[in-house]
Amino acid sequence: MRPLIDENNLSYSKEFLIYPTRGKILERVIFTIGSLIGLIYCYINNQLIIASILFCFFIFQIPLLIKSIKRIDEVQFRINSKGIQYRNNLLISWNNIENERTFSKQNGYKKGTTEYFVYYIIDPGQIMKFNLSELSTDVSELSIVLKVQRSRYNSENNIT
């Protein structure tokens, strides 16, 4: 379990790493096992059309599952006092980033919310927007990390 983050404590860890969520991998494992069980059941009961559909679904899920498992330890975001780095791209300095924030968007009356991480890169004039449901963090934790790291950058560079 990760330690709680105090946004007033700038001695918090020097770098915050965000990985892909393990929930999507678990979901894919359940789909794969479920399609295999359904395939066996339909084959035993001579429902060959359904069995062939489940076989195709099972075969389609295997490479996606392997790809997801290989990416489980791949860093998606690196946030520190120097800036934000997305995957293996270059680190973008805080002086080239503005309006970094997290927010939740309502998906309809009963469909729930989707959480996003957004920041604006000044130099190329590009807005970066990422869905947090695919990442190993949430809105509250990430917003505190952004405040802490931005404050740390400002204090290191004597910016008020």
Side-chain angles (χ1 to χ4, degrees):
M1 184 167 188
R2 291 188 215 127
L4 293 174
I5 302 170
D6 179 13
E7 60 185 287
N8 298 320
N9 182 4
L10 293 182
S11 66
Y12 175 68
S13 72
K14 302 290 181 202
E15 194 167 64
F16 185 73
L17 303 176
I18 301 174
Y19 296 94
T21 182
R22 298 185 191 306
K24 293 288 182 185
I25 296 171
L26 180 62
E27 182 180 295
R28 201 167 299 280
V29 166
I30 290 171
F31 283 147
T32 305
I33 292 172
S35 65
L36 180 64
I37 291 170
L39 167 68
I40 293 169
Y41 176 78
C42 290
Y43 184 77
I44 290 172
N45 290 326
N46 288 328
Q47 298 174 345
L48 298 180
I49 294 174
I50 297 173
S52 62
I53 292 170
L54 288 173
F55 177 75
C56 291
F57 184 75
F58 176 74
I59 295 299
F60 177 71
Q61 287 296 316
I62 298 274
L64 296 176
L65 180 62
I66 291 170
K67 182 180 174 184
S68 297
I69 291 172
K70 285 182 179 178
R71 289 186 55 214
I72 198 163
D73 290 328
E74 185 179 296
V75 175
Q76 299 298 303
F77 283 97
R78 182 180 312 271
I79 302 173
N80 57 31
S81 63
K82 293 180 174 95
I84 300 174
Q85 180 181 10
Y86 176 62
R87 292 189 178 165
N88 291 329
N89 296 342
L90 293 175
L91 183 120
I92 299 166
S93 176
W94 285 111
N95 63 0
N96 197 24
I97 297 173
E98 66 181 19
N99 203 17
E100 68 276 355
R101 66 189 184 284
T102 58
F103 68 92
S104 298
K105 179 180 177 186
Q106 193 70 19
N107 294 335
Y109 179 63
K110 291 187 178 182
K111 293 184 182 179
T113 60
T114 304
E115 300 175 330
Y116 292 101
F117 168 42
V118 179
Y119 59 94
Y120 178 73
I121 304 174
I122 298 169
D123 189 18
Q126 184 178 11
I127 296 174
M128 304 296 284
K129 183 176 180 182
F130 302 95
N131 188 341
L132 289 180
S133 67
E134 301 168 0
L135 302 173
S136 65
T137 189
D138 63 352
V139 168
S140 61
E141 181 179 39
L142 185 56
S143 63
I144 292 172
V145 167
L146 291 170
K147 286 179 190 174
V148 167
Q149 297 299 348
R150 173 65 86 168
S151 297
R152 188 176 284 156
Y153 169 78
N154 291 342
S155 67
E156 288 175 0
N157 294 298
N158 297 322
I159 299 172
T160 56

